Amino acid sequence: MKLAFSTLGVPGLPIPDVLRLAAAHGYHGVELRAHPEEPVHPGIDLSRRADVAAEFKAAGVEILGLAGYARVAAPGDDEPVLQEIRELLELARDLGAPFIRVFPGGGTDQSPGEADATAARRLGTAAEYAADLGVRILLETHDSHRTGADAIRVLGLVGHPRVGALWDVMHTWLGGEQPGSTYAALSPHLGYVQVKDIASADDTTPLPLGAGVLPLTECVELLSREGWDGWLCWEYEKRWYESAAPLPGLLGAGREHLSRLLNESA
């Protein structure tokens, strides 16, 4: 498995500094938070996109994916959501990123069936565009669909190889789902896995990997046992928790922790 970290942990940090952190601490890739607060988002022009792609190539670091904020199950018209996804897909193509992340985002005034159908309809439409661009759309286990069992209801309806799953280990744990059950549901569709750690279900402030309660050891052992060889991406939610320790000082120990888990599970 290859290791990455998300720029959600280093809000607003310029790309050259992100790349220096990745290279210095032995990470193979970076997940880019695609938001206007950040250096890379759908609003940047073609010249800047080419520059970013060249910077990553020169550093020998891969762009794992773009973490977007489209909410595919949200109530309302389809077109604004589809346009947001199309813009993310085009940015991913221009940067050479294989994946974009979308959220479920179902509303409280929808039934689960309505939310599933809305998400599947939009993802099915977007999948054709993704196929033309050579990018894959990943539905994250999050908010209204936080478990693998939730996500597979949508993915099963879509049935397109350009639409898959992003397993966020915190949300499936908060949803009460065991790692084995999550993997069984998502494995045919799994793009990559987001790892993190927290103190408890009531305190989700990010912690160094291994310092909290999330079943990281069990997840890595399971993935290794099943022969899965994708990416583990550390999503440290510094942007949402200003009091959390700065990520740069934790990256080295985080990589060592994941490497140790991988070695022990081999």
Side-chain angles (χ1 to χ4, degrees):
M1 294 179 226
K2 293 191 284 190
L3 306 180
F5 66 88
S6 169
T7 56
L8 186 65
V10 284
L13 193 68
I15 293 300
D17 295 330
V18 170
L19 291 170
R20 277 192 285 272
L21 286 175
H25 297 293
Y27 287 83
H28 308 99
V30 173
E31 178 193 73
L32 293 173
R33 178 177 181 246
H35 188 280
E37 296 175 346
E38 301 295 338
V40 176
H41 57 83
I44 64 174
D45 62 23
L46 286 174
S47 174
R48 180 61 188 139
R49 295 177 187 206
D51 288 345
V52 170
E55 289 174 304
F56 270 86
K57 185 176 181 180
V61 176
E62 296 181 53
I63 301 176
L64 167 56
L66 303 180
Y69 290 89
R71 287 165 166 77
V72 295
D77 294 337
D78 288 356
E79 187 50 38
V81 180
L82 292 171
Q83 180 60 26
E84 188 173 357
I85 296 172
R86 282 193 291 267
E87 290 175 358
L88 283 166
L89 289 167
E90 290 167 358
L91 178 60
R93 174 203 57 195
D94 294 343
L95 296 176
F99 304 117
I100 67 163
R101 183 277 307 277
V102 298
F103 283 148
T108 56
D109 55 347
Q110 296 167 295
S111 70
E114 289 171 330
D116 294 347
T118 298
R121 182 178 66 249
R122 291 168 177 166
L123 287 169
T125 299
E128 299 303 325
Y129 197 58
D132 290 340
L133 299 181
V135 181
R136 198 160 180 232
I137 304 166
L138 301 183
L139 179 67
E140 183 172 324
T141 54
H142 196 272
D143 53 71
S144 62
H145 292 67
R146 72 183 344 172
T147 66
D150 295 328
I152 196 60
R153 296 198 313 266
V154 174
L155 298 177
L157 290 172
V158 178
H160 195 291
R162 284 291 166 179
V163 177
L166 197 173
W167 178 8
D168 181 320
V169 301
M170 180 182 77
H171 283 282
T172 54
W173 181 81
L174 290 172
E177 190 172 64
Q178 294 298 313
S181 298
T182 304
Y183 183 80
L186 299 184
S187 58
H189 310 278
L190 192 56
Y192 63 97
V193 178
Q194 284 180 343
V195 297
K196 58 188 74 173
D197 223 340
I198 56 173
S200 69
D202 298 319
D203 182 2
T204 56
T205 303
L207 293 176
L209 294 179
V213 297
L214 294 184
L216 300 182
T217 299
E218 185 178 352
C219 289
V220 172
E221 286 179 348
L222 171 66
L223 292 167
S224 295
R225 186 168 66 247
E226 296 293 339
W228 189 78
D229 61 355
W231 287 84
L232 300 178
C233 178
W234 186 6
E235 188 190 47
Y236 186 83
E237 297 184 345
K238 174 66 172 175
R239 173 62 183 85
W240 313 126
Y241 297 88
E242 292 185 9
S243 64
L247 178 61
L250 307 177
L251 281 170
R255 181 194 53 76
E256 290 171 7
H257 183 73
L258 291 175
S259 296
R260 185 165 58 253
L261 294 182
L262 287 168
N263 288 334
E264 290 173 354
S265 64

